[in-house]
Each structure stands twice: as C-alpha cells, then as structure tokens.
Amino acid sequence: MTEIRLHNTKTRRRETFEPLDPSNVRMYVCGPTVYDRAHMGNARPAIVFDVLFRLLREIYGADHVTYVRNITDVDDKINARAAQTGRDIADITAETTAWYLEDMAALGNLEPTHMPRATGYIAEMIAMIEGLIESGHAYEADGHVLFAVESYADYGALSGRSIDDMIAGARVEVAPYKRNPMDFVMWKPSDARQPGWDSPWGRGRPGWHIECSAMADKLLGESFDIHGGGNDLMFPHHENEIAQSACAHPDAEMAQIWMHNEMLLVEGRKMSKSLGNFFTVRDLLDQGVAGEVIRLVFLSTHYGKPMDWTDTKRSEAEGTLKRWYGVLHRHGYCARMVEMLKSQGGWNADAEFLGVLANDLNTSGAIARLHVLAKGHTAPALAGFAHGLDLLGLVPDWDRLGDLAGVEDAATGPEWVSEVVERLLGERQAARAAKDWAEADRIRDVLNAAGVLVSDVGGAASWTPGPAFDPAVLERHR
Ligand SMILES: [Zn+2]
C-alpha cells in the first residue's frame, strides 16, 4: 500500500498517515458561509482537499472514506445581506449553496460524502454547550454563553500562541460579560428580526465555531483522521474548535492531523476589492476559462505555498490540457475504454505518480510526472497517464476528449473501434477454441497492423491502442 505522508500543522512535522480505522477514513473540512458567490480564494481548499479525498479513495477504496464539508447557513454576514436586500435568509442561503455546488463541480470537485448545514444541527450544538457549562469550560453571561479559554491548558497550541500573546496582538472584542477578553461566544441572544432558536439561555443562535465541533462529532465521531481548511481559519476558528471538542471529550483527540492550505494571490498581489483584482469563480467561468484549466493552475503550486494566479499560467494550462487530451484521444480513450480497462485490471496508477502525490500532496511533482507519462509509448504508461489525470480530477468528460483537445474528429469515433476490436477478439477466441490456428493468426495480424496491443491473461483477452494505433486499418472490418 502506498504510504501517505502529510504535514501536520499541530506537530509542525510531516507525518506518516495512519488512519484510526482504514475501513472508514474520516476527514472534515470547513466549508463556505453562504451569502455570496465563492471567490477564487474559496476555491483553493475545495480543490486541495478534493485531491486528498480522491487520493484516500484510491488507496483505501472509494467506499472507505468519509468526507464532511459543512455549510454555514447561520451567520451575521448572512443576516446583514438579508437586511441589505430585503430578501429572506432561507432564499439567500439556498441560492448561494446551489451556486457554490455548481461552481465547485465546474472545477472538477467531487461532492463530499456529507454536506451538513449548521441550521440542521442546532440541537447537537446546544447539547455540546450544555455539557461544556456543566464541566466548567463555559459560562453564561448576559444571554451569551462563552467558552472560558483559561479552562483549557492547550489553548493556542495549534497556532503556537499563548493567551497573553493573543490578547496583545489581536483586536479582541472587549465585552463586559467576558471573564477573559479571549473568551469566545458559543451562543448569543437573537432579537425578533434575527434568526433564533429556543435554548436554555433564551432565544438565540450559535456562534460560528461550535457548529464544526458539533457536526464533526455527530458525523465523524469524537476522534477522526484529518481536519482541513484555509490557513486563515487556523486562528481563531480551528483553535476554538479544538478547545470545544477536546473539553467536550477529554479522552478523544478530535482530529489527528490538521492541514492548512496557503492563500491565493493574483498577479503577485493579495486579492482585494480595493485593488480591483477580486474575482469569483463564476467570473472566470463566464469569461470562458474552463474549470479544469483553473484546477490545473491551482494544482501546479503545492497547497502549503501561496498560489499566484496569473494570466500566463492560465494560458499555459490551457495549452497543456489540450495536448494531454489530444494524446488520450489519439489512443482511443473514451468512457467505454476506461470502463473496459477497469473491468480488465488495466486501470492502474503509475507507481511513481502515486508516490509523489502521496508525499504531502505534491501536486506540482505529480503534474511533472504526468508530462513524462504523456510521452509514454506503452499501454501501461498511457493508462497510468490517464489514471493520473483522472485522480487529479482533470478529466471533465471522457467522451469529449476530442472536443476538449480541439481535434476535428469524423467517422472514426472510438465507439465503433471498440466494437470492431472486441468482435475480432471474440472471433479469434472462437478460432482458437476450434484449433483453427491460421484464422487466429490472421486476426492477430489485423490487430497488429492497426496498432492494437492485445494481452492474454488468464484466458481473457484485453486490448489497448498502442503508440502506432491506426483505426483506419480496422475500417474494412466494420
Ligand atoms: Zn470549521
């Protein structure tokens, strides 16, 4: 089994990944607050952790990985948007959630196993808060419930700060009801216009951090494997998640490995509305930049480094993908062929590609390996290339490779080629069974002349187009 190594923010080391339960590898990633279109920076964690999800599925099996990414649908930014626009909160969150999923799908991301909405887990949050009050980690004051940071000795360990440093360095909200200025809100009162739920502390709504602790607990258990998110969430959000979960379950660890992706730059500068370089994923898609192009640009930089989006990289990625799709198209790749390779055991990862990718998601190294494999002239190299592209989520549609490559393709579509080759293989099988060796050889020569590589393993013949593949030779056998 390929060994996965991941940089753990918590220990500041690259560690060998050993799942708590290999039959159910569990990952939680903080998702969007739904009040507006996802901007380019929001797309980075979605892509980074989608690649990790795919890698885990590859290694542990598609049915043995649970990936949870939440949707924050109760937040003061949403309330502000509703007040601004006069629209219903539920309409805003439903519309924005649909936008988010549509845009993330366009970038080649698989849907996570679970996408819990915060408002669906209010009871779990209230229960966790009640437990924290009972165990002395939280207190009620002035209609609020606050987490007492001094009650948790490891507070600040993830981001490497002490409580005193935080107070000195951060602009903390000083409120008269807080015992320590760093104490954070888990529950706050709602007025009549704000969304609210009944609770032991009156009608109110949750603070942001408690939702992730409660939903991760409910869907993944007290201890799970990986927790991910952008590095802007490390403090205070993740620090607070850890404090809540660790104090709610003193014998558990919450996540074994914490991973953080770095931020996005645009042409070397921080993306910001005031610099005029702020854009959403939808802006780019609407300008005709394909989702897979955006994805390849993102993956060309390691997740632990700032990713600089530039127009030069965009156009290079477009060229690379066209070339790569062209290679696969020329060799007859289509959905059916991939299915066939899968059913015949020919759909295997290139070991070097997988090893590079498994080393802390070295996507740029994996892409370099794809450049080598694309020049390969053997069926396994090409299958490894196709498999690698698929594992990075870079093939939007196996049946549109010709279109995507910009290749004009007429009657010699891959569909009939597969039919002819499979019929010939069947006839060859029958000839062999009847010991008609001359006929079996004649058919083999036809396939050789067409550049079709045939392998006979365990009595079953499988085939793949070779480097000299020429469908025209098969034309008269249609
Ligand atoms: Zn979170």
Side-chain angles (χ1 to χ4, degrees):
M1 189 180 274
T2 304
E3 179 181 279
I4 298 183
R5 293 174 61 76
L6 298 171
H7 180 81
N8 189 352
T9 308
K10 202 162 85 175
T11 59
R12 290 157 183 79
R13 280 202 314 262
R14 198 171 280 196
E15 296 174 0
T16 299
F17 176 63
E18 282 167 27
L20 296 166
D21 174 6
S23 72
N24 184 18
V25 180
R26 287 159 289 161
M27 172 164 79
Y28 188 96
V29 174
C30 297
T33 300
V34 283
Y35 66 101
D36 209 346
R37 282 274 183 195
H39 63 66
M40 287 288 279
N42 301 139
R44 196 169 189 202
I47 294 174
V48 164
F49 293 103
D50 178 69
V51 171
L52 181 53
F53 181 41
R54 289 167 181 268
L55 176 66
L56 293 168
R57 284 160 56 99
E58 172 71 20
I59 291 177
Y60 295 96
D63 298 333
H64 300 290
V65 184
T66 306
Y67 170 20
V68 176
R69 187 183 63 206
N70 66 305
I71 290 167
T72 301
D73 62 347
V74 50
D75 187 279
D76 289 346
K77 291 199 251 339
I78 304 172
N79 303 342
R81 182 59 52 99
Q84 253 167 39
T85 57
R87 292 182 63 196
D88 224 41
I89 286 180
D91 289 347
I92 294 174
T93 58
E95 177 184 67
T96 317
T97 302
W99 284 345
Y100 179 79
L101 295 179
E102 194 188 334
D103 293 348
M104 293 310 113
L107 298 179
N109 296 308
L110 301 173
E111 286 209 342
T113 324
H114 302 289
M115 293 187 281
R117 293 177 308 132
T119 52
Y121 291 81
I122 301 291
E124 284 81 358
M125 295 184 220
I126 290 174
M128 188 176 261
I129 296 170
E130 282 183 301
L132 288 168
I133 293 176
E134 230 163 82
S135 56
H137 292 289
Y139 58 95
E140 186 189 355
D142 211 6
H144 294 68
V145 181
L146 293 123
F147 185 93
V149 292
E150 282 168 55
S151 75
Y152 177 52
D154 286 339
Y155 191 74
L158 179 73
S159 53
R161 316 164 190 222
S162 71
I163 294 177
D164 291 342
D165 289 348
M166 292 179 206
I167 295 172
R171 284 188 314 185
V172 290
E173 189 195 341
V174 182
Y177 48 80
K178 286 186 180 181
R179 289 182 195 162
N180 181 304
M182 294 311 296
D183 288 353
F184 59 88
V185 170
M186 292 192 291
W187 190 265
K188 55 188 167 189
S190 293
D191 65 29
R193 286 165 301 122
Q194 290 165 327
W197 290 262
D198 289 331
S199 80
W201 320 287
R203 185 176 174 277
R205 61 194 191 282
W208 172 30
H209 318 297
I210 190 70
E211 74 178 76
C212 290
S213 285
M215 294 190 291
D217 187 2
K218 174 87 174 180
L219 295 166
L220 297 176
E222 296 173 6
S223 294
F224 53 94
D225 297 300
I226 299 168
H227 192 309
N231 68 353
D232 55 331
L233 298 185
M234 200 188 302
F235 178 81
H237 183 54
H238 290 165
E239 207 72 81
N240 294 353
E241 278 189 39
I242 292 177
Q244 294 163 157
S245 294
C247 294
H249 308 297
D251 298 330
E253 204 184 354
M254 195 178 192
Q256 295 203 94
I257 293 191
W258 285 79
M259 290 176 70
H260 293 93
N261 64 272
E262 255 288 349
M263 292 296 100
L264 179 95
L265 303 170
V266 174
E267 305 285 353
R269 307 176 77 177
K270 205 173 160 192
M271 190 170 78
S272 84
K273 283 183 176 153
S274 60
L275 286 174
N277 65 354
F278 181 95
F279 44 94
T280 65
V281 173
R282 180 50 51 183
D283 290 337
L284 270 194
L285 293 170
D286 285 350
Q287 285 162 26
V289 183
E292 57 274 16
V293 169
I294 299 173
R295 189 174 177 96
L296 181 59
V297 172
F298 272 57
L299 295 181
S300 64
T301 298
H302 186 262
Y303 75 87
K305 294 185 186 143
M307 208 297 290
D308 191 12
W309 173 270
T310 68
D311 204 49
T312 311
K313 285 187 191 169
R314 191 232 357 114
S315 89
E316 280 170 9
E318 273 167 3
T320 298
L321 285 173
K322 271 196 172 175
R323 254 193 336 275
W324 284 352
Y325 297 143
V327 167
L328 294 175
H329 180 68
R330 274 198 304 287
H331 289 90
Y333 272 80
C334 61
R336 199 164 153 204
M337 173 147 157
V338 170
E339 280 317 305
M340 201 154 53
L341 285 169
K342 282 180 183 167
S343 68
Q344 295 171 351
W347 187 244
N348 299 316
D350 172 71
E352 188 175 330
F353 170 89
L354 202 57
V356 169
L357 187 62
N359 188 9
D360 198 27
L361 285 193
N362 180 1
T363 48
S364 52
I367 289 166
R369 179 64 185 159
L370 288 183
H371 280 290
V372 174
L373 290 171
K375 295 185 192 115
H377 291 294
T378 64
L382 283 165
F385 171 62
H387 185 282
L389 267 180
D390 192 45
L391 187 48
L392 292 183
L394 289 169
V395 185
D397 187 344
W398 286 107
D399 284 333
R400 284 185 50 236
L401 291 170
D403 283 353
L404 294 166
V407 176
E408 286 294 327
D409 184 42
T412 54
E415 282 288 319
W416 72 258
V417 170
S418 306
E419 279 165 27
V420 169
V421 172
E422 277 169 56
R423 198 186 68 236
L424 289 172
L425 285 173
E427 288 171 12
R428 173 169 156 274
Q429 189 73 14
R432 285 172 148 196
K435 300 202 187 317
D436 184 353
W437 306 119
E439 174 64 3
D441 286 351
R442 187 192 66 77
I443 296 170
R444 185 200 60 205
D445 291 344
V446 170
L447 293 169
N448 279 347
V452 172
L453 304 176
V454 177
S455 80
D456 293 288
V457 181
S462 62
W463 70 279
T464 186
F469 182 58
D470 181 6
V473 174
L474 298 170
E475 184 80 45
R476 64 197 165 86
H477 298 275
R478 283 180 79 172

